[in-house]
Amino acid sequence: MKLILLGPPGAGKGTQAARLMEKHGIPQLSTGDMLRAAVKAGTPVGLQAKAVMEAGGLVSDEIVVGIIADRMEEADARKGFILDGFPRTVAQAQALDAMLATKAMKLDGIVELKVDEGALMARIEKRAAETVAAGGVVRADDNPEAFKKRLVAYREQTAPVSAYYASRGALKTVDGMASIDDVTRAINAALVG
Ligand code: AMP
């Protein structure tokens, strides 16, 4: 099973990707997680990405496509994966198509979580509060200023990715405002339907 989860920041992609990972026994490939790990480790990619990420902008297509290409080469990704946070630009979607073609792989599903933008800021604030309550460290970009920029990046650069897949009849849309369990059920139904 090879899947893409699309949707704005705070839509619940990470939560649903973790559930799909468990259900299908395939890894969740989150470019955001990989970039945060690179920043933490202070790798050359991390050093380049840090400031852009903290400001809520998008890291260059070249860097992100490179890390996904490397990750897809790993043994656990052979039988499938859930892409979470990638592709985020049409250029990344095209690079992914080319990558899959060279591996003779096809995507099994592209699911978009549709959410009311007005609810997203509240969700991000809740995520930050829950992280603090659990003794964790809040993401450097989970603050109102960076979040607004992340939404602008989404509208301008990522929304066209949904249109890219929709124009090929490959996009399934799920109501991301429902409860977490209902969203999971809707995704599962969309993937068999
Ligand atoms: P996320 O965890 O998916 O919300 O990603 C956090 C941040 O990492 C984003 O705001 C971007 O700065 C960067 N990022 C993650 N994935 C990508 C991508 N596919 N293309 C560009 N930047 C990305």
Side-chain angles (χ1 to χ4, degrees), residues 4-7 109-113 170-174 187 190-191:
I4 300 180
L5 277 186
L6 294 173
I110 301 150
V111 179
E112 179 181 34
L113 301 182
L171 187 71
K172 309 253 166 98
T173 302
V174 160
I187 292 174
L191 292 176

Side-chain angles (χ1 to χ4, degrees), residues 9 13 30-33 35-36 49 52-54 56-61 64 84-89 92 127 139 141 150:
K13 298 186 297 294
S30 157
T31 42
D33 285 349
L35 288 166
R36 278 185 288 277
V52 179
M53 289 174 74
E54 282 178 4
L58 289 188
V59 175
S60 77
D61 290 335
V64 178
D84 162 12
F86 178 93
R88 247 181 170 95
T89 64
Q92 290 177 19
R127 176 158 90 185
R139 279 173 50 164
D141 58 355
R150 288 161 65 197

